[in-house]
Amino acid sequence: MTRRGIRLNIAMFSSPSSWFQNKKLLRIEPGGGEGECVAKNHAWVDSMRDSSPTRVKFPGTGEHNSWIIHHPSALKMFELITNAAKGKEIVIFLDYDGTLSPIVEDPDRAFMSNQMREAVEEAARYFTTAIISGRSRDKVYNFVKLPELYYAGSHGMDIRGPSKSQLKSKKGDEGVLFQPASEFLPMINEVYRALLNRTKSIPGAQVENNKFCLSVHYRNVDEKRWAALAEQVRSVLSEYPKLKLTQGRKVVEIRPIINWDKGEGYANDSNVLPIYIGDDRTDEDAFKVLRDRRQGLGILVSNVEKETCASYSLQDPPEVMSFLMRLVEWKRHTSRARHLF
């Protein structure tokens, strides 16, 4: 697959799409009276609560059985998945937090295990592999530390592929493929400083600069203070109509409002089978594209029942690692068999 083809793939699966164009997307409108602001804050808090459900493991109920029938384990359905891959080039897309690493209280300590790193490294030897995250590309690279991968940070607004210079050093821009929001950097940095100042009075709030987008983490904020946090974020973003707010698990994210290539042309490539593995609401963008185009497989990482467009499921990062290792072993076996004939 050409480098341009990979760029289109990553752009399509990491760009904002219709998932956020309804109630999942909160637009900040300047102005408004006190009553209107209170109503907006209530809506924000409700949305924050809806996007951060209590994570309870599956009960042994009939509802779970129904859910698992529609989203069976990718490990149990492995033969069916590899049958779909026959004669095609597999391209693997991986979320980071909650997929390759566990969800932790401190996002700066979301380290992947050495065993997971080895599994991803082995997968990349046989399949084109990309990490897609809302974090900055550099931060994800520092977690993963595998130069042979493609990295899409800031939800696909900062994409870098492997190159000879990158294999020697991650410094430099030779491998950068796609940065459609570069003009927003001064604005993002300005908003970052403002949010740091406005949220410092709220215990547990953490603002993360992901280069082309910002994350406000409220995992460690008392729920009674969520309304105060929403008000502070609203007061900052009301001055920036070119920014929008989306939500993930215990995090709100600020991104530029831009239109850019989502890789529509890629859907015509019947020789490629994309497999996208992710755990968060933002990954539903990719799952929906794969389902609607009937070209590729989405795998949700979750040990709770949730609405999803994914075809299959895995319970947690250890199961993701097992799935990647089985893909590698399958590829090795098929390659050996091919050489015998």
Side-chain angles (χ1 to χ4, degrees):
M1 179 178 293
T2 66
R3 174 165 293 181
R4 174 174 169 77
I6 291 294
R7 179 185 71 80
L8 293 178
N9 271 281
I10 297 176
M12 177 174 70
F13 293 134
S14 56
S15 62
S17 71
S18 58
W19 183 259
F20 292 113
Q21 290 172 2
N22 297 313
K23 63 182 179 180
K24 308 301 181 188
L25 170 61
L26 297 176
R27 292 290 296 274
I28 313 302
E29 303 294 343
E34 181 179 350
E36 183 180 352
C37 290
V38 171
K40 287 179 181 178
N41 280 350
H42 283 313
W44 275 42
V45 173
D46 289 342
S47 186
M48 291 164 73
R49 190 175 293 112
D50 290 343
S51 68
S52 307
T54 302
R55 297 187 64 77
V56 180
K57 289 191 175 182
F58 285 127
T61 65
E63 284 138 358
H64 166 53
N65 292 336
S66 174
W67 188 90
I68 206 69
I69 288 173
H70 290 94
H71 312 287
S73 166
L75 291 171
K76 293 181 179 179
M77 305 300 290
F78 188 79
E79 185 175 353
L80 186 65
I81 291 173
T82 52
N83 284 340
K86 288 181 179 178
K88 298 184 179 182
E89 178 185 356
I90 291 178
V91 179
I92 300 175
F93 297 89
L94 300 165
D95 180 32
Y96 183 76
D97 293 277
T99 299
L100 299 182
S101 73
I103 296 294
V104 295
E105 296 297 319
D106 182 355
D108 289 332
R109 300 190 62 79
F111 303 117
M112 66 192 302
S113 67
N114 290 331
Q115 293 88 342
M116 178 67 85
R117 182 175 292 103
E118 291 171 2
V120 175
E121 184 176 24
E122 282 297 297
R125 289 181 60 188
Y126 295 94
F127 312 104
T128 300
T129 303
I131 309 293
I132 298 179
S133 175
R135 292 178 181 265
S136 72
R137 174 173 50 80
D138 288 342
K139 184 169 289 187
V140 174
Y141 183 94
N142 287 334
F143 277 133
V144 180
K145 298 179 180 177
L146 295 174
E148 59 267 40
L149 307 183
Y150 287 79
Y151 291 87
S154 302
H155 295 289
M157 286 182 280
D158 188 9
I159 299 174
R160 179 197 289 271
S163 65
K164 292 181 180 179
S165 61
Q166 189 180 10
L167 290 174
K168 296 177 182 178
S169 170
K170 71 184 182 71
K171 301 295 184 181
D173 292 332
E174 293 86 347
V176 172
L177 303 180
F178 197 49
Q179 289 185 336
S182 296
E183 65 184 278
F184 287 89
L185 275 177
M187 182 185 297
I188 291 293
N189 289 328
E190 185 177 306
V191 173
Y192 173 64
R193 291 190 294 270
L195 285 172
L196 282 178
N197 184 57
R198 295 291 187 89
T199 62
K200 64 184 180 182
S201 63
I202 301 176
Q206 183 175 351
V207 184
E208 183 178 11
N209 190 335
N210 297 313
K211 190 170 183 177
F212 294 106
C213 63
L214 303 172
S215 298
V216 181
H217 299 273
Y218 57 93
R219 178 172 301 277
N220 298 316
V221 176
D222 189 313
E223 187 170 342
K224 295 177 182 178
R225 301 299 305 275
W226 286 6
L229 179 62
E231 166 58 23
Q232 295 301 331
V233 175
R234 185 204 67 80
S235 66
V236 172
L237 294 190
S238 64
E239 303 297 323
Y240 298 90
K242 293 184 178 181
L243 300 179
K244 66 180 179 181
L245 181 128
T246 60
Q247 291 185 264
R249 193 190 306 170
K250 294 290 178 73
V251 62
V252 292
E253 296 178 319
I254 295 95
R255 313 185 197 180
I257 299 174
I258 58 173
N259 294 316
W260 48 282
D261 187 2
K262 297 180 181 178
E264 290 88 349
Y266 168 74
N268 295 323
D269 192 346
S270 60
N271 297 317
V272 174
L273 181 74
I275 297 178
Y276 189 108
I277 308 176
D279 77 306
D280 204 0
R281 175 176 290 176
T282 54
D283 299 311
E284 292 295 331
D285 290 331
F287 298 154
K288 187 175 187 301
V289 168
L290 293 174
R291 185 192 66 180
D292 292 349
R293 298 189 180 187
R294 297 182 180 180
Q295 195 169 12
L297 305 172
I299 301 176
L300 174 69
V301 183
S302 177
N303 62 2
V304 299
E305 180 180 336
K306 60 172 72 171
E307 185 177 352
T308 181
C309 294
S311 302
Y312 300 99
S313 63
L314 293 167
Q315 293 249 332
D316 49 32
E319 285 203 353
V320 173
M321 183 172 66
S322 296
F323 179 79
L324 293 176
M325 293 172 67
R326 286 190 66 179
L327 272 182
V328 167
E329 186 54 39
W330 168 79
K331 185 65 174 180
R332 286 174 177 163
H333 176 76
T334 55
S335 296
R336 286 195 297 264
R338 191 178 299 114
H339 290 148
L340 291 176
F341 296 98

